[in-house]
C-alpha cells in the first residue's frame, strides 16, 4: 500500500483555507455578559437590498416643443415618485424580516433540540443562543433574540445602555416576547437615537448571566430619480457565505472516483439565487463535463471526479463570491497509480496533448511517469483513434525514447484522440488518459481567406488562390528547416508556396547524403508543411529540399537545408540532479520538503519527490504528477516515523538522477503555541475562594504543555487581573481573595516551549458563594480511553467537594447524539472509571458523571467532549506473553502513532503505575513493554496503557488467574528447559537378533549432545554398538549386534540440547531381560535358517530355493519330499549349480505341508526341512493377493442364460485370497440368487434372474496384508436389450404369401436389432424388408416367399449392458401340399454377451476351474461377429469366448 494512504484521517492542510478580502465571522457564537464589546457587523440582508446610487444623465439640447412635452411627462412621473419610494421601502422591510425569521427559526430549533436532551436538575442560567449585533437602516425594524437554558426557568430583563427597557415609555416602540424559551426584543421603526448597546440579563435562584449586542441605525440617503427606478436584483456577490465542513487533503487511485465537498451557510439562502462557486486545479478554472461534475446547492458545493487519472492530481481551490469579495479554501488531491497489468511495469504517462496540428500531421507530447522501484523506462508507444470509434491503433512500431512523437498520415478533416503507454523491461504500462479531441485541418486555411464588403452591405469571401490570376503551377516552398531534431527522428518544416497554383497542393521531399538526391516520401502524398523522418543513419549528415506539386505540375525545389545529423543537440538531455533537499516538520502526518533547482534544467517540466522510511530500501512516490515548484508538502505520512526524501527533475527526455537524500526527520507537528484551554468549571467554593478546573487544549503545539496561567475579573468589569504569576502545571487551581456574593469570570492560557498560547473564552459568571449542600459536588476531568467501534472506557476524577459525607460511588449517564441522557449503571460504582459497551460504530456520544454519597446524588459534571465510537486507524491491542529466552511474563503494546513528546503511561485498574517494584517498564520508539517481577496473584487485574500527546492511543488487557497460571508454568519450563520426549527409552529385537535401544524427542537441534550409559559406564559407538541420531525425526538409537547374557543391565540416555536437558532409563534385568534374550536368539536362528532356504515367486509360481551347498560332487543325489512323499520335478535338480529349485504351479491350500530336501552320496547325507503352513502360508497367500489385486481389471458384465455375471480378471485367483463383494456398500454372501466363485484367472459373481432391486453400485475388494484393491461397476438404471414378446418358435407358410416376423424389443439405452438367416446377417431389400419403429417394434417382412426363404431365422437384440438371441424356424411349402408338422417346444431365447452379437455359451465354474473357450458347432445358429465399430463396448480379444485370456 502507498504510504500516502496509511493515514486516512484528514489533517490540517498547508494549503489552508484563507480569505482574499475579509475573514468570515462565525455564523453562530455564544458570548457571556462579561465579554468585550463585539465588533459591529452590518446586517447583510439590508446591504443586499441596498440600491446603487443613480447618476442623472446630462440633458441633451431640446427644442421648445420638446421641452414642453418633456415637462408635461415629468409632471406625471413626479406624481408617482413618492408612492414608488414607499413601496420600495416596504418591500425592503418585508424581505429583511423574512430572512431574519428563517435564521431565528433554524437556531431556535437547534437550541430547543439541545434543551430537550438536558435533565431537569437545578441549573444556573446559560445563554444557548446569545444576542447578535445588528446594523439597520432608519425606519426599519430590528429584532434582538436569545435562548436561555436553566432550572428553574430564568427570568429575562432587557436593558438599553445599562437602563431597563420600558415598553410603556414609548407605546408601539418596543415589544418584548418570551415563547418556548426564546426571548426577543422588537424595536419598530428604528431611529438614529436607537443606536446603543442592548443587553439581556437572565436570572434564577442559582444565579444570573448576561448577553450583550450593539444596534447601529444608519440614515438612508434621499435619492433623486429622473425616471422610474428598477428593483435591485440580488447578485452572487451580495450573499454572505460562511464555510463550515471543508474538504481536506485527499487520496485517490487511477480508475476510481472521488468527491470534494464543502458545506456552508448562505445568507440570504434563496433557492433562485445559488452562490457562485468556482473550482480550480493548480489555478486553472475547471468546467463541468464528463471528467468533472460540479454541483452547488443545498448548503454544499461539490466537485466529483468520476474517472480519476494522475492528470487530476494537484491543488484544488474552491472560490466563493461573497458580499465583501471572495472566500476560498484549498487542499491537495493525490492520485496514485493503479495496479499494473504486468508486475514491475511502469505507471501510465501523464498530460497527453497534441500540438502543431496540420492537415495530416500532429505532434503529440506528454510527461513521463515517476519510477521508484520499477525498472527504467525504455520508450513509449503512441496510440490514436478516430472520434466516434472505440478502436485504437498503434502509431509507432518501435518505442520512442523521448516524450514527443510526430504522427502523420492523418485524414484531412477527421478528429482524433491520442494516448501513450510506457515500456520497460518488465512490460507495458496501462494507457494514459486520452488527449482532447483534435481535428486534422490546415491552420493557414483561414489566413488565406479575405472578406470584401460591397456597397457597405454585402460581404464576399474569396481565397488568396482566386487572386493569383491564371497561374497554374505552384511556387517553390521556402524556409525549409528541421523544427525537431532528436536521435529517434527529425521533423522537417517549411512555408507553403505562393502562389499555390489554383489547385490542390501536395509536397515531394528529397534528401542527399552523398551522391544524387533521393525522394523519401514515395508512398505518402503530403498535404502539410511538416514531415517526420525516422530512417536516417546515425553519424551521417543529410540535406533536404522540398517541391510543391499539383495537377498542373511541380515547382522548383526549395533551397536545401543545412547539413542535419540525427543526434540530440547540445542541452537536449535529462536535467542535472536537484540540489540539497531539506525537510522540516509541519503536522503530525505531513512534512515540508524544499530543494535547490538543478544547475542544468534543460527545459524542466517539474519534479518528482520520493520518500523512504529510515532503514528501509523501498522508496514510495510522494507525488504522481510533475510538480513545478521547489517546495512541496508531503502528506499521508505515518505519525512518529522517521523518513528521508529525495527529488528527481523531469523533462521531455525523462527523469534526472536522484538528488542526495535529505537528513532523516521524524513526522511531528511543527512547534507552535498551544490552543486555548476550554471547559472552565467550578469544583468548590467556601465563600472566600474557588477551586476551578479546565480541560487541556485540543492542540498542544508540538511540545508538552508546562504552564497554565489564570486570569479573573468581576462579571460587571472589563479589566482582567492576573491570578497566578507563577505558572501552574495542574489543571485545577484555587483562587483566593474573592468577595462573597460577587460573580467572577475566569480565563486560562496554556504555555509550552514555543510560548504562551491564546486565552480561553471567558467562563460563565461564577458566584462566590459557600457550598453547603449535603450532596457531593461535580466530578471533573472526564477523559476517554480505548475508544473502539463498539466500546470505550470513560475516566474521571473524584469531586473536590464531597458534601456532608464521603463519596460512595458514581452514576454515569450517556446520550447518543439526538437522544436523551440515560444512566448506564443502576447501582453506583465505587471506582472512577467505567467500560461502556454496546455502542453503535461511528455514532457520536456525550457523557456526564454524578457523585453519590449517603445524602443522595450530587450535581452532574460538565458535559464531556463529544466522542465518536471509532477506533484510530492502525489501532493494536496489548499482547500478553512469555519471553522465550528469559521466561519473563510481559505485556507488550505497539502504538499506531506517537509524537516527540509522547510517553507510555501504564496503569493497573486505571491507577497509574509509578515506582512499582513489581514491574519494570521498557519503552523504545513506538513499542512499550511491561515485565512482571516475580508475578503472583497480587498481579491480577486490568492493565492499561495510553500514549500521551496523541489522539487517544490506548489499550488494556485483563490478567486472569487461569492465564497467569498457564504463563507461570510456561515461564518455569523456559527457565528450566527440558528436552521434550515423544517416546521414552525402549528396545526392539531386529531380524538378525540385533537389539535396538531407542528414544524419540519432540524436537531436536543439530547441536544436540547425548551419551548412552550401561550400568554406570558410558558406551561409545563401535562395530558392536552402533550409536546414531536423526534430527528430522528426533530419534536417538543404539544397536547392539550381539545381545547376550552379558547385556543384562540398566540402560540410560542423557541428552543436552542447548540449555535444555533430559534423560531416560530402561531397566532390562530379570524376566524382562530373559524374554528379550529369548527373542533375540530366536531371530538369530531364524535368520541363519533363512540363509539356507528362501522363497521367491514369479507370477503365480512359488520357488523353494536351496542356498549354496558345499562339498558336492557329480555323484551327489538330491531329492524333494512333501509330507514324506517324494516329489519328482519336471526338471531334474542340478546340485552343481549351487542352488536347487522346486516350482509349485497355481499355489493354493493343497500345497501346504512339510517340505524336505535330502542330499546324499557316498560320504553320507544331509536333510533340511521347510514348513509351509501357518504364518508362512498366510504370507505367501498375501503376496499372491497383492499380485492379483494389482493386476485386477475393472468389473465387466457378462450375460448368461441364468442372468448376468460380474467378472474381474487377474493374473491368478484362488479361493484362499481374501475377497469381498459389495452391493451398495453392503457385503454380499454367496447364495442361490447371487453366487460367488471364480476360476484361476478371474473372480465372478452370478446374479440369477436380475430384477429392479438388483440395480445399483457393485464392487469387489481384494485384500492383501497391507492394502485393499477395489474394482467397481455401476448397474444403476441399466437394462440389457431383450425381446419382450411376439415371435413364434416355428412358422409354416405357403409360397407367394407374405411372411411378417414382428416382435417388441426393450432395453435402456435403446438396443440395436440385427436379423440373421442361417447364421448370416439379413440385409434389408425390397424382398426382405427390415423395420424398427420407435426403437420398440422390430419386424422382418418377406414378400412372395419361396422355398429358398425356408431356414432358421434369428434376431439379436443388444445394448451395452447385454442382449438376447431368439431363433425362429421358417418352413415354406408349395401350394397344394400339406403344411409340415411343427415341432413342439419352448421358444429359444439366449441372452447375448455384452461385447458380441454371438450368444456365447460360457461354462460355469463348477464345470471346470480353468475355463476352456467353447468352439461353436458348424450347425450352430449363432451368427458371425459383426464389425466391432458398431458395438458400444470393446470386443473381447478372443473371438470364441467372452472370457479374456490371462495376461
Amino acid at each position: 500500500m502507498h504510504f500516502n494512504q496509511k493515514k486516512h484521517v484528514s489533517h490540517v492542510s498547508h494549503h489552508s483555507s484563507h480569505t482574499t478580502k475579509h475573514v468570515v465571522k462565525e455564523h453562530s457564537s455564544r458570548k457571556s455578559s462579561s465579554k468585550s464589546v463585539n465588533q459591529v457587523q452590518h446586517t447583510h440582508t439590508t446591504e443586499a437590498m441596498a440600491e446603487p446610487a443613480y447618476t442623472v444623465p446630462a440633458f441633451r439640447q431640446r427644442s421648445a416643443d420638446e421641452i414642453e412635452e418633456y415637462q408635461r411627462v415629468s409632471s406625471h412621473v413626479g406624481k408617482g415618485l413618492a408612492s414608488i419610494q414607499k413601496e420600495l421601502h416596504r418591500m425592503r422591510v418585508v424581505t429583511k424580516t423574512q430572512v431574519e425569521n428563517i435564521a431565528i427559526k433554524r437556531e431556535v430549533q437547534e437550541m430547543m433540540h439541545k434543551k430537550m436532551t438536558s435533565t431537569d436538575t437545578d441549573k444556573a442560567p446559560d445563554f444557548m443562543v446569545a444576542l447578535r449585533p445588528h446594523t439597520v437602516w432608519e425606519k426599519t425594524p430590528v429584532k434582538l433574540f436569545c435562548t436561555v437554558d436553566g432550572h428553574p426557568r430564568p427570568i429575562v430583563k432587557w436593558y438599553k445602555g445599562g437602563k431597563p427597557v420600558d415598553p410603556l415609555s414609548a407605546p408601539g416602540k418596543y415589544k418584548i416576547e418570551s415563547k418556548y424559551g426564546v426571548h426577543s426584543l422588537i424595536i419598530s421603526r428604528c431611529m438614529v437615537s436607537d443606536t446603543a448597546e442592548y443587553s439581556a440579563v437572565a436570572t434564577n435562584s442559582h444565579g444570573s448571566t448576561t448577553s450583550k449586542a450593539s444596534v447601529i441605525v444608519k440614515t438612508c440617503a434621499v435619492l433623486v430619480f429622473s425616471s422610474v427606478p428598477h428593483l435591485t436584483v440580488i447578485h452572487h456577490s451580495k450573499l454572505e457565505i460562511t464555510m463550515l465542513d471543508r474538504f481536506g487533503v485527499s487520496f485517490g487511485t487511477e480508475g476510481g472516483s472521488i468527491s470534494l465537498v464543502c458545506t456552508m451557510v448562505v445568507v440570504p439562502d434563496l433557492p433562485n439565487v445559488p452562490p457562485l462557486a468556482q473550482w480550480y486545479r493548480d489555478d486553472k478554472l475547471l468546467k463541468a463535463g464528463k471528467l468533472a461534475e460540479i454541483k452547488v446547492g443545498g448548503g454544499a458545493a461539490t466537485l466529483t471526479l468520476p474517472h480519476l487519472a494522475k492528470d487530476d492530481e494537484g491543488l484544488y481551490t474552491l472560490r466563493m463570491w461573497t458580499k465583501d469579495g471572495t472566500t476560498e479554501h484549498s487542499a491537495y488531491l493525490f492520485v496514485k497509480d493503479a495496479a499494473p497489468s504486468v508486475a514491475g511495469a511502469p505507471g501510465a504517462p501523464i498530460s497527453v496533448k497534441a500540438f502543431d496540428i496540420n492537415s495530416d500531421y500532429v505532434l503529440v507530447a506528454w510527461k513521463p511517469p515517476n519510477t521508484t522501484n520499477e525498472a527504467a523506462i525504455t520508450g513509449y508507444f503512441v496510440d490514436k483513434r478516430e472520434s466516434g470509434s472505440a478502436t485504437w491503433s498503434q502509431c509507432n512500431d518501435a518505442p520512442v525514447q523521448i516524450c514527443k512523437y510526430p504522427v502523420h498520415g492523418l485524414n484531412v478533416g477527421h478528429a482524433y484522440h491520442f494516448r501513450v503507454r510506457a515500456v520497460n523491461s518488465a512490460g507495458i504500462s496501462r494507457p494514459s488518459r486520452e488527449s482532447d479531441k483534435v481535428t486534422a485541418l490546415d491552420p493557414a486555411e483561414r489566413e488565406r481567406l479575405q472578406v470584401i464588403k460591397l456597397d457597405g452591405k454585402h460581404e464576399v469571401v474569396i481565397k488568396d488562390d482566386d487572386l493569383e490570376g491564371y497561374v497554374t503551377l505552384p511556387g517553390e516552398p521556402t524556409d525549409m528547416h528541421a523544427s525537431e531534431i532528436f536521435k529517434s527522428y527529425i521533423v522537417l518544416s517549411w512555408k507553403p508556396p505562393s502562389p499555390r497554383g489554383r489547385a490542390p497542393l501536395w509536397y515531394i521531399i528529397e534528401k542527399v547524403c552523398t551522391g544524387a538526391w533521393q525522394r523519401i516520401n514515395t508512398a505518402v502524398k503530403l498535404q502539410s508543411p511538416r514531415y517526420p523522418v525516422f530512417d536516417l543513419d546515425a553519424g551521417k549528415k543529410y540535406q533536404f529540399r522540398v517541391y510543391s506539386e499539383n495537377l498542373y505540375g511541380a515547382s522548383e525545389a526549395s533551397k536545401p537545408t543545412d547539413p542535419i545529423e540525427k543526434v540530440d543537440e547540445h542541452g537536449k538531455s535529462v536535467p542535472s540532479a536537484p540540489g540539497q533537499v531539506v525537510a522540516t516538520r509541519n503536522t503530525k502526518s505531513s512534512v515540508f520538503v524544499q530543494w535547490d533547482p538543478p544547475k542544468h534544467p534543460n527545459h524542466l517540466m517539474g519534479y518528482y519527490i520520493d520518500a523512504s522510511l529510515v532503514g528501509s530500501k523501498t522508496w514510495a512516490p510522494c507525488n504522481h504528477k510533475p510538480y513545478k515548484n521547489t517546495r512541496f508538502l508531503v502528506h499521508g505520512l505515518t505519525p512518529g516515523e522517521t523518513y528521508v526524501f529525495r527529488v528527481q527533475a523531469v523533462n521531455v527526455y525523462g527523469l534526472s538522477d536522484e538528488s542526495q537524500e535529505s537528513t532523516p526527520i521524524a513526522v511531528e507537528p511543527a512547534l507552535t503555541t498551544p490552543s486555548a484551554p476550554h471547559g472552565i468549571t467550578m469544583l468548590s467554593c467556601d465563600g472566600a475562594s474557588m477551586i476551578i478546573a479546565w480541560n487541556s487544549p485540543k492542540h498542544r503545539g508540538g511540545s508538552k504543555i508546562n504552564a497554565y496561567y489564570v486570569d479573573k475579573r468581576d462579571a460587571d468589569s472589563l479589566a482582567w487581573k492576573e491570578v497566578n504569576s507563577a505558572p501552574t502545571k495542574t489543571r485545577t487551581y484555587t483562587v483566593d481573595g474573592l468577595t462573597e456574593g460577587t460573580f467572577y469570570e475566569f480565563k486560562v492560557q496554556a504555555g509550552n516551549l514555543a510560548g504562551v498560547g491564546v486565552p480561553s473564552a471567558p467562563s460563565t459568571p461564577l458566584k462566590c458563594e459557600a457550598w453547603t449542600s449535603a450532596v457531593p459536588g461535580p466530578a471533573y476531568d472526564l477523559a476517554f480511553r480505548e475508544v473502539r467501534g463498539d466500546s470505550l472506557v470513560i475516566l474521571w476524577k473524584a469531586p473536590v467537594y464531597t458534601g456532608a459525607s464521603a463519596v460512595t460511588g458514581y452514576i454515569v449517564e450517556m446520550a447518543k447524539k439526538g437522544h436523551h441522557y440515560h444512566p448506564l449503571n443502576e447501582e453506583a460504582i465505587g471506582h472512577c472509571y467505567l467500560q461502556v459497551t454496546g455502542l453503535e460504530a461511528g455514532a457520536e456520544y456525550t457523557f456526564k458523571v454524578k457523585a453519590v454519597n449517603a445524602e443522595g446524588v450530587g450535581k452532574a459534571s460538565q458535559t464531556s467532549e463529544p466522542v465518536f465510537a471509532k477506533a484510530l486507524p492502525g489501532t493494536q491491542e496489548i499482547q500478553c506473553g512469555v519471553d522465550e529466552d528469559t521466561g519473563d511474563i510481559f505485556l507488550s503494546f505497539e502504538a499506531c502513532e506517537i509524537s516527540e513528546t509522547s510517553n507510555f503511561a501504564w496503569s493497573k485498574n486505571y491507577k497509574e503505575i509509578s515506582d512499582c517494584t513489581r514491574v519494570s517498564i521498557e519503552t523504545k520508539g513506538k513499542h512499550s513493554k511491561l515485565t512482571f517481577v516475580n508475578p503472583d496473584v497480587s498481579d491480577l487485574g486490568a492493565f492499561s496503557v495510553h500514549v500521551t500527546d496523541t489522539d487517544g492511543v490506548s489499550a488494556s488487557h485483563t490478567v486472569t488467574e487461569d492465564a497467569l497460571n498457564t504463563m507461570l508454568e510456561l515461564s518455569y519450563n523456559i527457565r528450566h528447559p527440558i528436552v521434550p520426549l515423544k517416546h521414552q527409552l525402549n528396545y526392539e529385537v531386529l531380524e538378525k537378533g540385533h537389539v535396538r535401544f531407542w528414544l524419540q524427542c519432540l524436537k531436536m537441534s543439530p547441536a544436540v549432545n547425548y551419551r548412552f550409559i550401561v550400568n554406570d559406564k558410558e558406551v561409545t559407538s563401535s562395530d558392536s554398538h552402533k550409536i546414531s541420531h536423526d534430527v528430522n525425526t528426533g530419534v536417538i538409537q543404539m544397536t547392539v549386534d550381539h545381545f547376550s547374557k552379558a547385556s543384562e543391565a540398566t540402560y540410560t540416555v542423557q541428552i543436552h540440547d542447548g540449555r535444555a536437558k533430559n534423560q531416560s532409563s530402561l531397566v532390562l534385568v530379570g524376566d524382562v531381560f530373559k524374554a528379550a534374550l529369548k527373542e533375540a536368539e530366536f531371530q538369530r536362528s531364524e535368520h541363519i535358517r533363512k540363509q539356507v532356504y528362501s522363497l521367491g515367486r514369479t507370477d503365480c509360481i512359488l520357488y523353494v530355493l536351496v542356498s549354496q551347498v558345499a562339498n558336492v560332487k557329480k555323484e551327489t543325489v538330491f531329492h524333494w519330499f512333501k509330507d514324506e512323499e517324494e516329489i519328482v520335478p519336471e526338471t531334474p535338480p542340478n546340485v552343481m549349480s549351487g542352488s536347487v529349485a522346486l516350482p509349485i504351479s497355481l499355489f493354493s491350500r493343497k500345497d501346504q505341508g512339510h517340505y524336505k530336501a535330502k542330499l546324499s552320496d557316498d560320504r553320507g547325507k544331509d536333510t533340511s526341512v521347510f514348513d509351509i503352513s501357518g504364518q508362512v502360508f498366510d504370507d505367501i497367500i498375501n503376496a499372491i493377493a497383492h499380485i492379483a489385486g494389482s493386476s485386477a481389471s475393472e468389473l465387466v458384465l457378462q450375460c448368461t442364460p441364468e442372468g448376468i455375471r460380474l467378472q474381474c480378471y487377474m493374473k491368478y485367483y484362488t479361493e484362499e485370497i481374501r475377497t469381498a463383494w459389495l452391493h451398495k456398500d453392503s457385503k454380499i454372501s454367496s447364495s442361490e440368487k447371487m453366487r460367488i466363485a471364480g476360476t484361476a484367472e478371474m473372480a465372478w459373481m452370478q446374479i440369477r434372474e436380475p430384477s429392479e432391486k438388483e440395480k445399483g453400485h457393485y464392487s469387489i475388494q481384494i485384500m492383501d496384508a497391507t492394502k485393499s484393491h477395489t474394482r467397481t461397476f455401476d448397474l444403476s438404471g441399466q437394462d440389457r436389450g431383450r425381446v419382450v414378446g411376439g415371435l413364434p418358435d416355428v412358422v409354416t407358410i405357403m409360397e407367394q404369401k407374405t411372411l411378417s416376423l414382428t416382435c417388441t424389443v426393450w432395453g435402456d439405452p435403446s438396443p440395436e436389432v440385427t436379423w440373421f438367416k442361417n447364421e448370416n446377417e439379413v440385409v434389408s431389400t425390397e424382398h426382405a424388408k427390415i423395420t424398427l419403429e420407435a426403437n420398440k417394434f422390430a419386424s422382418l417382412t418377406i414378400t412372395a416367399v419361396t422355398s429358398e426363404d425356408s431356414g432358421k431365422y434369428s434376431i439379436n437384440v443388444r445394448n451395452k449392458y447385454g442382449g438376447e438371441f431368439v431363433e425362429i424356424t421358417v418352413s415354406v411349402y408349395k401350394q397344394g401340399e400339406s403344411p409340415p408338422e411343427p415341432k413342439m417346444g419352448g421358444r429359444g431365447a439366449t441372452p447375448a454377451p455384452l461385447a458380441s452379437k454371438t450368444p456365447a455359451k460360457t461354462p460355469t465354474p463348477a464345470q471346470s476351474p480353468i475355463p476352456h473357450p467353447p468352439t461353436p458347432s458348424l450347425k450352430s445358429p449363432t451368427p458371425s461377429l459383426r464389425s466391432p465399430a458398431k458395438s458400444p463396448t470393446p470386443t473381447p480379444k478372443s473371438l470364441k469366448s467372452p472370457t479374456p485370456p490371462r495376461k
Side-chain angles (χ1 to χ4, degrees), residues 1068-1082:
L1068 203 60
V1069 296
D1071 294 340
V1072 178
F1073 170 75
K1074 292 177 181 179
L1077 180 61
K1078 182 178 180 181
E1079 177 68 17
E1081 290 176 346
F1082 173 76

Coordinates of all heavy atoms in Angstrom, one line a residue, residues 1068-1082:
L1068 N 16.7 -53.4 32.1 CA 16.5 -54.7 31.4 C 17.2 -55.8 32.2 O 18.3 -56.2 31.9 CB 17.1 -54.5 30.0 CG 16.6 -55.5 28.9 CD1 15.1 -55.3 28.7 CD2 17.3 -55.2 27.6
V1069 N 16.5 -56.3 33.2 CA 17.0 -57.3 34.1 C 15.9 -58.3 34.4 O 14.7 -58.0 34.2 CB 17.6 -56.8 35.4 CG1 18.8 -55.9 35.1 CG2 16.5 -56.0 36.2
G1070 N 16.3 -59.5 34.9 CA 15.3 -60.5 35.3 C 14.5 -61.0 34.2 O 15.0 -61.3 33.1
D1071 N 13.2 -61.2 34.4 CA 12.3 -61.8 33.4 C 12.2 -61.0 32.1 O 12.1 -61.6 31.0 CB 10.9 -62.1 34.0 CG 10.9 -63.1 35.1 OD1 11.9 -63.9 35.2 OD2 10.0 -63.0 35.9
V1072 N 12.3 -59.7 32.3 CA 12.2 -58.9 31.1 C 13.4 -59.1 30.2 O 13.3 -59.2 29.0 CB 12.1 -57.4 31.5 CG1 12.1 -56.5 30.3 CG2 10.9 -57.1 32.3
F1073 N 14.5 -59.2 30.8 CA 15.8 -59.5 30.0 C 15.7 -60.8 29.4 O 16.1 -61.0 28.3 CB 17.0 -59.3 30.9 CG 18.3 -59.8 30.3 CD1 18.9 -59.0 29.3 CD2 18.8 -61.0 30.6 CE1 20.0 -59.4 28.7 CE2 20.0 -61.5 30.0 CZ 20.6 -60.7 29.0
K1074 N 15.2 -61.9 30.2 CA 15.2 -63.2 29.6 C 14.3 -63.3 28.4 O 14.6 -63.9 27.4 CB 14.7 -64.2 30.7 CG 15.7 -64.4 31.8 CD 15.1 -65.3 32.9 CE 16.1 -65.4 34.1 NZ 15.5 -66.3 35.2
A1075 N 13.2 -62.6 28.5 CA 12.3 -62.6 27.3 C 12.9 -61.9 26.1 O 12.8 -62.4 25.0 CB 11.0 -61.8 27.6
A1076 N 13.6 -60.8 26.4 CA 14.3 -60.1 25.2 C 15.4 -61.0 24.7 O 15.7 -61.1 23.5 CB 14.9 -58.8 25.7
L1077 N 16.2 -61.7 25.6 CA 17.3 -62.6 25.1 C 16.7 -63.7 24.3 O 17.3 -64.1 23.2 CB 18.1 -63.1 26.3 CG 19.3 -64.0 26.0 CD1 20.3 -63.3 25.1 CD2 19.9 -64.5 27.3
K1078 N 15.6 -64.3 24.8 CA 15.0 -65.4 24.0 C 14.6 -65.0 22.6 O 14.8 -65.7 21.6 CB 13.8 -66.0 24.8 CG 13.1 -67.2 24.2 CD 12.0 -67.7 25.0 CE 11.3 -68.9 24.4 NZ 10.1 -69.4 25.2
E1079 N 14.0 -63.8 22.6 CA 13.5 -63.3 21.3 C 14.7 -63.1 20.3 O 14.7 -63.3 19.1 CB 12.7 -62.1 21.5 CG 12.2 -61.4 20.2 CD 11.2 -62.2 19.4 OE1 10.6 -63.1 20.0 OE2 11.0 -61.9 18.2
A1080 N 15.8 -62.5 20.9 CA 16.9 -62.2 20.1 C 17.6 -63.5 19.6 O 18.0 -63.6 18.4 CB 18.0 -61.4 20.9
E1081 N 17.7 -64.6 20.4 CA 18.2 -65.8 20.0 C 17.4 -66.5 18.9 O 17.9 -67.1 17.9 CB 18.4 -66.8 21.2 CG 19.5 -66.3 22.1 CD 19.6 -67.2 23.3 OE1 18.6 -68.0 23.6 OE2 20.6 -67.1 24.1
F1082 N 16.0 -66.4 19.1 CA 15.1 -66.9 18.1 C 15.3 -66.2 16.7 O 15.4 -66.9 15.7 CB 13.7 -66.8 18.5 CG 12.7 -67.2 17.5 CD1 12.4 -68.6 17.2 CD2 12.0 -66.2 16.8 CE1 11.5 -68.9 16.2 CE2 11.1 -66.6 15.8 CZ 10.8 -67.9 15.5

